[in-house]
Amino acid sequence: MIPHVVDLGKASDAKTSRRLADIPDCVVEGDPHQDIWVHSTSPDGKLTVGVWTSTPGKWHAFAGKDEYCYIVSGRCALIHEDGTRQEFTAGGSFFIPDGFKGFWEVLETTTKHFVIRDTKSQ
């Protein structure tokens, strides 16, 4: 079967929801809730493409992956462990390399498109 182009603007049936406070030692501030719609996963499971929405809060950034993000709506910040803060709003895009140590902070409910490459088993 020949793959089709993935349109992140269309709804996906593969929605999961999570409350980050349910993950031990993750949340620093607030009670962020997230919805994630996976639109595509590579055959080897190492590349995932989708849409993510989070309510406000601050948490430790996850490791073991490279991530490209495009902010569709809202306002968020990435804060490096050295204190460097970068804020992003609708239309902003950025890349978080594996090894980044710091925090995600959602200041206003944020929706992003993402491409994640799992690096844990490489």
Side-chain angles (χ1 to χ4, degrees):
M1 181 172 152
I2 299 172
H4 290 267
V5 171
V6 176
D7 183 352
L8 298 179
K10 294 193 177 203
S12 168
D13 294 332
K15 177 185 172 185
T16 58
S17 297
R18 66 183 179 183
R19 178 177 178 243
L20 283 188
D22 293 337
I23 301 171
D25 302 316
C26 180
V27 175
V28 177
E29 293 175 8
D31 186 18
H33 288 71
Q34 300 178 344
D35 291 324
I36 302 163
W37 294 267
V38 173
H39 285 259
S40 182
T41 303
S42 65
D44 66 2
K46 293 186 182 294
L47 191 72
T48 305
V49 177
V51 178
W52 168 98
T53 296
S54 180
T55 60
K58 182 177 179 182
W59 59 89
H60 293 277
F62 296 102
K65 62 184 180 178
D66 290 323
E67 181 174 7
Y68 168 79
C69 303
Y70 173 81
I71 304 300
V72 176
S73 64
R75 185 165 67 106
C76 64
L78 276 290
I79 306 157
H80 190 273
E81 66 182 353
D82 71 5
T84 303
R85 178 186 186 88
Q86 294 174 272
E87 286 197 21
F88 300 93
T89 58
S93 62
F94 52 93
F95 176 73
I96 306 168
D98 185 20
F100 172 82
K101 291 185 179 166
F103 304 93
W104 264 98
E105 183 175 18
V106 171
L107 303 159
E108 299 169 3
T109 297
T110 297
T111 297
K112 71 178 180 183
H113 292 169
F114 66 84
V115 178
I116 294 174
R117 182 175 66 100
D118 181 358
T119 61
K120 288 183 286 231
S121 56
Q122 293 182 349

